[in-house]
Amino acid sequence: MAYICPYTAEAKENSIAKVPMRESASTRHWLLTVLLGVASLVLASCAAPSTIKSISQEDARLNNNYVLALRISPQLNEIAWGATEGYVLLAREDGTADIIDVGYMDTGQLVWNKNGLFFSGPAVEYQLTSSGLHTQPRGTDEEYETVRFSSTDEHGYIAVYNVGISEEGDVSRVVVGDGGQPRYWDVSGMLTSIAQCDDKIVGITTSNEVSTAVKLVLSAPNHSEILTQLYPQANSVTDSVIRQVKRDKDYTYNQFMENAPCVNGVIYTMAEKTPVLEQEDGQLVLRAWSIHSNSYRDIPLTAEDGTQPQISLDHITSSEGSVSRDGSHYRWVAWEDGKVRSVDLASGVVQELFTIDLSHYSGGESRFFFTDTSVFVLDVNAKRDELKFSRYSITNGKKTDYFTIKDLPNVDWLRMPRNIIRDLAINPTWLTGHNG
């Protein structure tokens, strides 16, 4: 049956004809305003049905028809003003999707593994499986999640939350679970980068941002950068400090990779090394930390002819990076221009591999997911009414289009504008068959 809008031109004419109009200009203005408002509401109801369906937590089930999951949430400032909503969207290969209100979590993250889809709410940890959506009280209320990793056995998760500043410095909270009761502990320091190295989760911080107890075990408590163990929980403060590097007090590092890749026990993160006195320009470097030895090095980025590469600070700002399987190259995609670049880890030479075709650059909500052979892309346009999911081959830059999710703003036109797409996860079964 064809969809017919009941608000026809004839109905509009009849409805207006039945309204008694008086000569008062103010009355005519008021009536016109009311009529336009009613017309707008009725016409909105005549729009084509959305491809996204809202479902309740009780009706949620995970199945292999879902290919992609998105975490959507307000930011901290909106939460402070009273926003309580937040969503997980589950998309199919035909572009249709289901969306569940699970509460806010700024920069909320997702883990999809053998035991289901794991994510967080303000006071609980969620696990979505084929039997339904299961919740476990966390024991703490959180608003800002930094990273979330799958456990090495792919049955659980390790999440890190930014708690804020206490009298003893910056504090982060590690939460671990597998669908049962989560457990948690606090760690000291403002974590600029966090990585999963084999069975450990480690973070990078500085001596200026840790507690007095941590400073007491440092050889240079005023000028150190620290590699600290987040998971498993360290037996003591001393054991929590894996490595420390005495920092050159004439320079600071601006790092831009909260979720840093780790290969063969070495963590890599992009940074700008900047003079404290700012008498000269900063230098772009790739930092390499070993968790197995005291090895640490800065790898200056260079062009093939040995000069400074034609990239700026904006070009190393990225949400995702990876290291090739053989450990020879670091690769990342920049929000500034959508270019995928590679750094030779032996020489520091930067090469431009290809450009991801995005609806718009310089930030936005587009998301990327690296594998050994591919970059999966969620291209989010400015209106957010088209979310295009695709894959690029790292070898040759060839693009494969999969599907488009439409009409996200129409799910909740009043509240959705204050929500941001924060993370994506891909069905691991589907990923195995579509990884190039």
Side-chain angles (χ1 to χ4, degrees):
M1 180 180 292
Y3 178 75
I4 302 174
C5 178
Y7 193 69
T8 62
E10 181 180 1
K12 177 182 176 182
E13 182 178 346
N14 291 338
S15 66
I16 294 176
K18 292 176 182 178
V19 177
M21 300 293 288
R22 298 179 183 177
E23 294 302 318
S24 168
S26 61
T27 302
R28 288 198 299 272
H29 177 77
W30 176 83
L31 284 171
L32 182 60
T33 301
V34 171
L35 287 169
L36 286 174
V38 172
S40 297
L41 288 173
V42 177
L43 285 172
S45 72
C46 296
S50 173
T51 58
I52 304 173
K53 178 184 176 182
S54 293
I55 62 174
S56 67
Q57 293 191 14
E58 291 73 23
D59 291 336
R61 300 287 187 277
L62 192 64
N63 60 65
N64 272 331
N65 289 328
Y66 293 130
V67 169
L68 183 70
L70 304 179
R71 186 63 168 107
I72 305 169
S73 174
Q75 293 180 285
L76 286 177
N77 61 324
E78 297 288 356
I79 295 170
W81 279 99
T84 59
E85 79 283 356
Y87 308 92
V88 165
L89 182 146
L90 302 163
R92 305 175 186 86
E93 263 190 300
D94 62 359
T96 63
D98 295 327
I99 193 167
I100 317 159
D101 190 340
V102 294
Y104 61 76
M105 181 56 64
D106 197 2
T107 68
Q109 305 291 293
L110 301 163
V111 161
W112 198 335
N113 59 26
K114 295 177 180 178
N115 218 14
L117 180 67
F118 293 95
F119 51 93
S120 60
V124 300
E125 293 291 330
Y126 289 103
Q127 178 192 22
L128 182 61
T129 70
S130 59
S131 63
L133 182 62
H134 311 281
T135 61
Q136 289 291 339
R138 187 185 304 112
T140 65
D141 291 339
E142 306 297 344
E143 296 180 341
Y144 191 97
E145 185 174 6
T146 309
V147 295
R148 177 173 292 246
F149 299 101
S150 177
S151 58
T152 52
D153 62 4
E154 295 192 21
H155 283 84
Y157 63 90
I158 304 101
V160 181
Y161 296 91
N162 186 335
V163 176
I165 301 175
S166 71
E167 293 180 357
E168 278 290 295
D170 291 274
V171 177
S172 292
R173 183 162 293 142
V174 181
V175 178
V176 179
D178 58 6
Q181 180 61 43
R183 55 193 180 95
Y184 68 89
W185 57 90
D186 291 349
V187 293
S188 179
M190 177 67 178
L191 304 171
T192 55
S193 292
I194 303 173
Q196 184 172 35
C197 287
D198 302 323
D199 59 349
K200 286 186 172 66
I201 308 295
V202 296
I204 300 173
T205 187
T206 70
S207 57
N208 297 334
E209 296 160 336
V210 297
S211 66
T212 301
V214 175
K215 288 182 179 180
L216 289 174
V217 303
L218 301 178
S219 58
N222 296 320
H223 299 288
S224 287
E225 290 207 79
I226 308 160
L227 198 61
T228 182
Q229 180 170 308
L230 310 181
Y231 173 85
Q233 184 177 12
N235 294 321
S236 66
V237 172
T238 301
D239 291 342
S240 71
V241 179
I242 300 175
R243 299 283 174 266
Q244 52 180 306
V245 174
K246 187 174 181 180
R247 187 177 60 191
D248 187 338
K249 61 183 180 181
D250 294 329
Y251 290 89
T252 60
Y253 288 91
N254 297 315
Q255 295 191 177
F256 303 97
M257 187 65 67
E258 287 184 334
N259 185 349
C262 180
V263 173
N264 299 324
V266 181
I267 301 168
Y268 297 93
T269 183
M270 304 291 287
E272 182 189 42
K273 185 177 181 181
T274 307
V276 172
L277 298 179
E278 298 184 357
Q279 294 176 338
E280 56 185 276
D281 293 335
Q283 183 180 33
L284 303 182
V285 298
L286 182 66
R287 311 184 74 192
W289 291 75
S290 172
I291 68 168
H292 300 307
S293 68
N294 286 322
S295 171
Y296 165 82
R297 64 183 178 129
D298 285 346
I299 305 171
L301 304 189
T302 66
E304 292 188 70
D305 60 2
T307 61
Q308 288 288 329
Q310 296 300 305
I311 58 176
S312 66
L313 180 62
D314 291 334
H315 296 117
I316 68 168
T317 304
S318 173
S319 62
E320 290 295 334
S322 73
V323 177
S324 58
R325 182 178 294 178
D326 62 6
S328 63
H329 289 79
Y330 176 92
R331 300 172 296 220
W332 83 99
V333 55
W335 275 330
E336 176 68 16
D337 55 12
K339 294 186 183 299
V340 177
R341 295 178 173 88
S342 174
V343 180
D344 186 302
L345 298 182
S347 65
V349 171
V350 177
Q351 287 186 320
E352 184 180 308
L353 302 182
F354 56 89
T355 300
I356 292 175
D357 182 20
L358 297 176
S359 300
H360 66 120
Y361 300 96
S362 299
E365 297 177 61
S366 296
R367 291 292 176 264
F368 313 99
F369 182 89
F370 274 92
T371 68
D372 290 332
T373 59
S374 306
V375 185
F376 289 85
V377 179
L378 183 75
D379 176 25
V380 182
N381 67 356
K383 293 182 179 180
R384 300 198 302 172
D385 56 357
E386 288 192 344
L387 317 179
K388 298 178 181 179
F389 185 55
S390 62
R391 177 181 65 85
Y392 287 77
S393 166
I394 288 178
T395 303
N396 56 26
K398 182 181 178 181
K399 182 184 181 184
T400 302
D401 291 312
Y402 291 120
F403 56 86
T404 299
I405 306 166
K406 296 184 178 181
D407 303 323
L408 179 63
N410 292 339
V411 171
D412 187 336
W413 63 269
L414 184 63
R415 300 190 297 175
M416 191 58 74
R418 68 187 182 189
N419 283 261
I420 294 175
I421 298 170
R422 286 306 199 178
D423 193 30
L424 67 79
I426 300 173
N427 182 333
T429 302
W430 185 90
L431 182 62
T432 299
H434 294 80
N435 195 22

